[in-house]
């Protein structure tokens, strides 16, 4: 009984009658395709805390409109404007897309996070090749942290009433 030994993956595949592992993984990798509406825009929904943003992206001069106002007017704090532009800067697409979005619920910080999430998703729908860069930057992950509910017998979610021995 002489047993055959395989020195490479290809030889092992020939012995077992299976395709090499590298080819099987390449075939199984999902292919993302462009998703556009009839007007040629990419649409996505972004969420953060209680805020929900609907975002449309189309080629343009880099104008960002939030709820009918310029983004600098709606998000007055520079930190929120920076959060908004992070995914665009990460993929180096400054001044290439016009972004129109409506956002509701939550506060300004949550709304800025929701718009950022929506912009990231819409960019992947418009240019699927950008998905790797945005995924690595953490822009496609929905931040699932929400406010903890108030508990019975507590002042807030975890804060107790002041303790008095007498």
């Amino acid at each position: 009984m002489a047993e055959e030994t395989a020195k490479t993956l290809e030889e092992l595949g020939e012995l077992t009658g299976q395709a090499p592992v590298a080819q099987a993984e390449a075939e199984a990798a999902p292919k993302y395709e462009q998703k556009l509406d009839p007007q040629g825009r990419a649409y996505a929904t972004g969420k953060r805390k209680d805020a929900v943003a609907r975002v449309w992206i189309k080629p343009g001069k880099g104008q960002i409109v939030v709820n009918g106002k310029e983004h600098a007017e709606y998000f007055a704090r520079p930190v929120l404007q920076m959060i908004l532009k992070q995914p665009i800067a990460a993929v180096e697409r400054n001044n290439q897309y016009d972004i129109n979005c409506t956002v509701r619920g939550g506060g300004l910080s949550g709304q800025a996070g929701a718009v950022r999430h929506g912009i990231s998703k819409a960019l992947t729908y418009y240019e699927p090749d950008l998905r790797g860069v945005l995924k690595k930057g953490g822009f496609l992950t929905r931040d699932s942290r929400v406010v903890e509910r108030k508990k019975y017998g507590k002042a807030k979610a975890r804060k107790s009433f002041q303790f008095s021995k007498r």
Side-chain angles (χ1 to χ4, degrees):
M1 264 194 177
E3 291 186 25
E4 296 181 37
T5 57
K7 294 186 176 48
T8 64
L9 284 174
E10 286 79 23
E11 291 176 9
L12 181 64
E14 291 170 9
L15 289 175
T16 59
Q18 296 176 349
V21 178
Q23 287 178 348
E25 287 179 5
E27 293 169 6
K31 301 284 186 248
Y32 296 100
E33 53 192 53
Q34 193 178 43
K35 297 178 186 172
L36 300 178
D37 65 3
Q39 287 87 18
R41 304 174 300 182
Y43 168 78
T45 307
K47 295 181 179 180
R48 170 81 170 95
K49 292 188 178 180
D50 278 338
V52 179
R54 301 183 301 163
V55 179
W56 291 269
I57 287 185
K58 64 180 180 180
K61 299 180 181 118
Q63 190 177 26
I64 303 175
V65 178
V66 181
N67 288 352
K69 296 180 181 178
E70 190 62 34
H71 78 283
E73 186 182 342
Y74 191 83
F75 295 112
R77 294 197 316 232
V79 173
L80 299 179
Q81 295 174 26
M82 180 203 66
I83 287 172
L84 211 68
K85 294 178 181 178
Q86 278 179 332
I88 302 164
V91 295
E92 298 168 358
R93 297 290 190 270
N94 294 326
N95 303 327
Q96 290 187 19
Y97 292 110
D98 281 345
I99 300 168
N100 189 8
C101 54
T102 59
V103 61
R104 290 189 158 206
L108 284 177
S109 177
Q111 288 185 349
V115 172
R116 180 181 94 158
H117 185 227
I119 289 172
S120 305
K121 283 173 63 177
L123 278 170
T124 60
Y125 294 151
Y126 201 88
E127 284 187 66
D129 300 336
L130 301 178
R131 185 173 172 81
V133 177
L134 291 169
K135 186 86 170 154
K136 198 169 280 185
F139 299 116
L140 296 178
T141 306
R142 189 238 196 264
D143 192 350
S144 60
R145 296 176 295 170
V146 292
V147 178
E148 192 175 344
R149 75 172 190 88
K150 183 194 175 302
K151 312 301 187 304
Y152 171 76
K154 297 278 189 176
K156 292 165 62 174
R158 296 186 180 206
K159 182 181 178 185
S160 299
F161 296 110
Q162 184 173 349
F163 174 76
S164 173
K165 198 167 190 178
R166 294 173 235 248

